[in-house]
Amino acid sequence: MDHFNYRDGSLHAEEVPLTRIAAEVGTPVYVYSTATLTRHFGLFRQALDWTDHLVCFAVKANSNIAVLKLLGDLGAGMDVVSGGEYARARAAGVPGGRIVFSGVGKTRAEMRQAIEGGIRQFNIESEPEMRALSDLAVSMGVQVPVAIRVNPDVDAKTHEKISTGKSENKFGIPIARAREVYAEAAALPGLKVVGIDVHIGSQLVDLEPFRHAYAKLGDLTRALRADGHQISRLDLGGGLGIPYRRDNNAPPLPIEYGQVIRETVGDLGCEIEIEPGRNIAGNAGVLLAQVVYLKEGEGRDFLIVDAAMNDLLRPSMYGAHHDIVPVTEPAPGAEVSPFDVVGPVCESGDTFQKGTQLSRLAAGDLVAFRSAGAYGAVMASEYNSRPLVPEVLVSGDHFAVIRARPTYEEMLARDTIPGWL
Ligand SMILES: *Cc1c(COP(=O)(O)O)cnc(C)c1O
């Protein structure tokens, strides 16, 4: 459920008509709903209310610091994968003690930044990383809490670019070698082993891969405890999918996901961490755009909108689908016809949908790309020198610009012409 609905024939974010945001901020623009973000975070909490837990929002899904502050104030922890994300989480007021640091290529500078600023745990992805972190911690005179990410070799049955838990993926250490690696970690003076980490992929629409992976984690927990390790936390990653099409079978609910966790690892007495990103932010946002031209082609008509692949990359990167809906509610039974919805960027890949059935739209009409709150703005670029897309947060009947659209002057000011030119 989200808070983007038609009221009086016009699409609203909560109580704010999207037409008002378009008039005041311009298009393209991302619009997020406070009520939806709050609701989705609450569902994960509720799903784990049977145990000690921390829901760490995956910052890479939506890293605007207003969004992070909203979630952080609700009690969320943060899962970060870079020094930049760590800085964002801290700027949003999230204490270091609620931040976990994931990612296969953490640099020493990033590790130092997090140790100095405070960290709940590092999720270690390889032996070289583990040794580097220990060396650094020793040189700083501290011992840092770590979980080791294991690769359980399960097929998440999702898009290959977002599948991370198969043995051929670059993530984590093979689960078969885990006992050996934990033995080395325990002997490294800069590390304090606190748990195990796993993350098998994103946009999972079936609970079985989770069940399979978490059951393996449960077995590993018992084996590591028998080896003498203190395993007090299990970080189960993110990955629960969302409905990208309204007409589709909905993926499992957070409460059902929580039940799988309880059934597989609930008896171990571990604190449970999860790292949902898409499921909290995805359906809490839309990308609002305006039709620039309706171009009649041979055998197909193009709807050319002012948003492009640089603003929303998922369709061209993953072939992903986003429902596109007109902001003015079509009359019941209004005639629809097929359109290719495209952006202005000079690439054929700048296509959002082919042959989508839409009611007749005209230049100047507004459309909303649904389910765009996760992996939307964060992947935006200025390709074709299109200024970085702005973001707006709605709460009830008011809204705020939480990232302004840069002016051309601001965009150009980042470049410098050297004196010798
Ligand atoms: C991307 C990622 C997540 C979040 O995945 P979602 O599908 O957005 O829930 C969580 N943990 C790690 C380590 C990730 O890389």
Side-chain angles (χ1 to χ4, degrees), residues 20-82:
R20 202 173 109 205
I21 294 173
E24 291 181 31
V25 188
T27 53
V29 57
Y30 279 95
V31 181
Y32 309 128
S33 158
T34 301
T36 312
L37 288 163
T38 304
R39 178 183 137 80
H40 289 175
F41 174 70
L43 291 177
F44 279 102
R45 272 208 151 157
Q46 200 187 332
L48 294 178
D49 68 0
W50 48 272
T51 188
D52 261 4
H53 66 269
L54 184 65
V55 177
C56 294
F57 178 63
V59 173
K60 76 175 193 279
N62 186 321
S63 60
N64 189 291
I65 56 179
V67 170
L68 302 186
K69 172 147 175 37
L70 168 65
L71 295 170
D73 286 355
L74 294 170
M78 300 283 151
D79 170 45
V80 304
V81 295
S82 71

Side-chain angles (χ1 to χ4, degrees), residues 184-201:
E184 182 183 347
L188 287 171
L191 307 186
K192 178 172 166 34
V193 171
V194 295
I196 316 177
D197 172 46
V198 72
H199 170 72
I200 58 174

Side-chain angles (χ1 to χ4, degrees), residues 145-335:
V146 298
I148 297 176
R149 178 167 177 180
V150 295
N151 186 325
D153 194 21
V154 300
D155 186 352
K157 298 192 171 63
T158 184
H159 191 287
E160 61 171 288
K161 286 188 182 162
I162 49 176
S163 176
T164 57
K166 284 283 287 167
S167 57
E168 67 259 32
N169 299 131
K170 69 180 176 183
F171 301 98
I173 56 147
I175 197 162
R177 293 198 46 235
R179 291 175 71 177
E180 192 187 316
V181 178
Y182 269 85
E184 182 183 347
L188 287 171
L191 307 186
K192 178 172 166 34
V193 171
V194 295
I196 316 177
D197 172 46
V198 72
H199 170 72
I200 58 174
S202 200
Q203 186 53 19
L204 273 70
V205 293
D206 183 356
L207 291 174
E208 281 322 296
F210 286 120
R211 187 184 295 280
H212 193 177
Y214 297 168
K216 286 189 174 191
L217 217 64
D219 293 341
L220 179 62
T221 304
R222 284 179 280 270
L224 292 176
R225 283 180 173 167
D227 289 347
H229 300 285
Q230 298 264 334
I231 304 296
S232 57
R233 288 182 195 160
L234 296 179
D235 183 335
L236 302 176
L240 189 62
I242 62 169
Y244 276 101
R245 296 172 195 262
R246 300 295 116 158
D247 54 357
N248 243 19
N249 290 340
L253 300 171
I255 194 85
E256 298 169 299
Y257 172 66
Q259 199 52 37
V260 167
I261 295 174
R262 188 173 193 166
E263 285 163 18
T264 49
V265 294
D267 61 343
L268 294 167
C270 288
E271 183 177 6
I272 301 295
E273 298 164 340
I274 54 172
E275 305 169 343
R278 189 188 310 271
N279 206 296
I280 290 178
N283 282 326
V286 299
L287 172 62
L288 181 60
Q290 190 170 39
V291 177
V292 189
Y293 296 113
L294 200 154
K295 174 175 170 178
E296 297 188 356
E298 273 181 24
R300 63 182 66 209
D301 292 343
F302 295 97
L303 202 64
I304 304 172
V305 297
D306 64 0
M309 63 187 285
N310 69 296
D311 305 306
L312 178 62
L313 187 59
R314 299 187 67 258
S316 60
M317 179 141 139
Y318 310 122
H321 171 93
H322 288 266
D323 278 350
I324 300 172
V325 296
V327 167
T328 300
E329 188 172 18
E335 201 186 313

